Amino acid sequence: NTIRKQLVDQVMNRLQSLPKIDSLVPLFINAETGQLWLGTLTMGAGSDTYYEYLLKQRIQSGEKEKKFRDWFLASMAGVQRHLLRHSQPSQLMFIGEEMESR
C-alpha cells in the first residue's frame, strides 16, 4: 500500500540521515530525540532487523530502488571493518560486537 510505503521510506530516510559509524546502525535509538546512541554495534539482539529490512525493501520495490542495495552493501562493508573477528588459536571467522565510546 502506498501510504505504508511512504511511512516506511520516511523512517528509513531518517535513519540514513543520522550519523553512523561506517553505515552501521547501533543497537539503541533515543525514543525522545530520535537520535542514534552510538554505543553497541552488533548484528544480534534486534539490530539485524534493520539490515534485513534493507534487503526486503529492495526486493519489494522490484529491485528498482537502488538506495536499499547501496545502504546494505555499505553497512556490510562496515561489518567487515568493525565486527568481523577471528577466534584464537583456530582463526575461525565470526561476527562479534563493538562498544563505541563516541
Side-chain angles (χ1 to χ4, degrees), residues 34-74:
Q35 296 296 311
L36 299 175
W37 179 65
L38 298 179
T40 303
L41 297 175
T42 180
M43 289 298 287
S47 292
D48 59 333
T49 302
Y50 167 76
Y51 307 104
E52 290 170 11
Y53 270 90
L54 290 177
L55 289 175
K56 288 176 185 177
Q57 286 177 283
R58 171 75 173 164
I59 292 166
Q60 289 175 345
S61 76
E63 299 192 13
K64 293 177 185 168
E65 295 199 45
K66 185 177 178 280
K67 67 182 179 182
F68 297 119
R69 178 182 178 273
D70 293 345
W71 293 344
F72 179 80
L73 291 176

Side-chain angles (χ1 to χ4, degrees), residues 14-49:
R14 171 71 176 142
L15 282 171
Q16 287 305 311
S17 73
L18 295 172
K20 292 178 284 309
I21 299 167
D22 278 334
S23 298
L24 297 176
V25 174
L27 185 56
F28 299 108
I29 298 174
N30 184 315
E32 292 179 18
T33 66
Q35 296 296 311
L36 299 175
W37 179 65
L38 298 179
T40 303
L41 297 175
T42 180
M43 289 298 287
S47 292
D48 59 333
T49 302

